[in-house]
Amino acid sequence: MRLFLRRCKNFVVAFARTLIRITFKVIFLILGKSRTLEIRNIVSEEIDSTLEISGIVFDGNAKIPLLRAKTMLTKEPDTIAWINDFFSDGDVFYDVGANVGVFSLYAAFYKNATVIAFEPSAENYAWLNRNIFLNHLDDNITAYNLALHDTNKISVLNLSAFMPGKAGHGFDITRAGSDYANYVPEFKQGVLGFRIDTLVLDYAVPFPNHVKIDVDGNDPLVLKGMDRILPDKRLRSIAIESNPQLREQDIDVRNKLEEFGFRILTEQKYINSDYAAVGLASNDFFIRNSS
């Protein structure tokens, strides 16, 4: 019965999509492009495009942001478990590669964290701020349109696709994704890059208790930009994306964090088995040893 209902639902959605496309093509032929766009804008203004997931409100007016909202608790349950288990009320959380803000919102809403969210993509950054606005969380979350790196520099974000919610971009490089493969950027967006050390020590951005680094390939460089704050015991945990084949850079990350007194979490709830099964990069979670 459940499978039958799912198929019915998919059929209705597909039928509605086709009907809407045909309707707008007819309107376009009769009224022209300008009037058709006016009508589309009127329709979109009359439709509530927000979606509430577990008490958090998301702007669902685009395909990928909607999907990210719907899968907040299921796409990366390991990250949700890390936030639930190790964040305390008022902790400072750096969300590096925040995208449209799923984990920033979750940490602020459920753990009352002070979140500093970094998202270099202009499309994602706009959506991130929209979601912060919808939840009235601007006292908890501050978003910056910056790339984090191992050097302070002006460069470009090589966008794999110019659309909201998309990942797989590379700051200062054209390699990204789980396979860290070369790609031809669809658009090059000017972006400022900073070391986390610089932001904390020179610009007095609140010191992080927890850092999530998910930047599709440049993750080891972001960690390198934290060298001056890594010894500080106020920094209690780090989540960093790792390639399933454990590139040399990923092994170096593990060794480096162990040298600074962190240990990797190996319990099953901190392992994204779905990602591992299909060979996708996923987060490794490190906590500082208590001694």
Side-chain angles (χ1 to χ4, degrees):
M1 177 60 72
R2 187 173 298 175
L3 177 61
F4 173 75
L5 291 175
R6 186 183 299 118
R7 287 178 176 173
C8 288
K9 179 180 177 182
N10 291 340
F11 173 79
V12 171
V13 170
F15 178 77
R17 184 182 291 115
T18 301
L19 185 62
I20 290 170
R21 285 174 178 168
I22 292 173
T23 301
F24 273 97
K25 284 182 180 180
V26 171
I27 294 174
F28 178 84
L29 290 172
I30 297 173
L31 299 180
K33 187 174 184 178
S34 177
R35 289 295 187 184
T36 301
L37 289 174
E38 289 180 12
I39 293 171
R40 190 182 72 175
N41 290 338
I42 291 170
V43 172
S44 64
E45 287 173 359
E46 293 301 319
I47 296 174
D48 182 3
S49 64
T50 61
L51 179 70
E52 184 174 318
I53 304 292
S54 297
I56 300 175
V57 181
F58 293 90
D59 186 337
N61 199 32
K63 182 178 180 180
I64 302 178
L66 175 60
L67 180 62
R68 291 190 181 279
K70 291 168 64 176
T71 59
M72 176 180 70
L73 300 177
T74 57
K75 187 171 186 284
E76 294 187 20
D78 49 333
T79 303
I80 296 295
W82 170 61
I83 293 172
N84 286 341
D85 293 348
F86 294 100
F87 286 33
S88 299
D89 187 284
D91 279 355
V92 176
F93 170 42
Y94 280 17
D95 190 357
V96 182
N99 202 278
V100 299
V102 169
F103 299 118
S104 292
L105 295 164
Y106 185 89
F109 186 84
Y110 281 104
K111 306 301 284 191
N112 192 33
T114 296
V115 182
I116 312 296
F118 300 94
E119 176 49 53
S121 162
E123 287 272 297
N124 291 345
Y125 182 68
W127 225 270
L128 167 62
N129 279 284
R130 170 72 172 159
N131 286 334
I132 295 169
F133 169 78
L134 289 173
N135 290 278
H136 310 288
L137 284 172
D138 48 307
D139 286 335
N140 290 75
I141 307 173
T142 303
Y144 293 103
N145 190 204
L146 299 173
L148 297 187
H149 205 56
D150 65 333
T151 57
N152 302 324
K153 67 190 308 180
I154 298 175
S155 188
V156 296
L157 181 69
N158 295 290
L159 293 164
S160 58
F162 195 81
M163 61 177 66
K166 189 72 174 65
H169 312 312
F171 175 68
D172 203 45
I173 57 170
T174 53
R175 295 172 67 89
S178 293
D179 55 0
Y180 203 49
N182 283 307
Y183 64 96
V184 177
E186 186 173 283
F187 182 74
K188 298 177 181 180
Q189 177 199 321
V191 176
L192 294 174
F194 279 94
R195 291 172 58 92
I196 288 181
D197 285 344
T198 300
L199 297 175
V200 173
L201 301 175
D202 297 340
Y203 290 96
V205 177
F207 192 97
N209 304 117
H210 312 281
V211 177
K212 179 183 76 66
I213 305 171
D214 184 356
V215 294
D216 293 325
N218 268 343
D219 311 79
L221 296 180
V222 176
L223 184 67
K224 188 177 179 182
M226 297 172 58
D227 281 348
R228 294 166 65 193
I229 70 166
L230 277 177
D232 194 314
K233 292 185 178 181
R234 287 178 294 173
L235 177 58
R236 303 200 304 272
S237 73
I238 296 173
I240 184 167
E241 192 173 58
S242 173
N243 190 280
Q245 281 75 43
L246 282 181
R247 301 169 300 163
E248 182 179 347
Q249 303 98 302
D250 300 313
I251 295 172
D252 290 343
V253 163
R254 293 188 177 192
N255 292 337
K256 179 175 186 173
L257 288 174
E258 287 177 2
E259 290 173 5
F260 278 98
F262 291 86
R263 66 176 177 88
I264 191 169
L265 297 174
T266 58
E267 292 88 340
Q268 188 60 44
K269 64 178 174 177
Y270 306 120
I271 297 172
N272 195 324
S273 54
D274 288 342
Y275 277 23
V278 294
L280 292 177
S282 58
N283 287 314
D284 287 334
F285 301 93
F286 297 85
I287 61 168
R288 192 181 294 277
N289 293 316
S290 56
S291 58

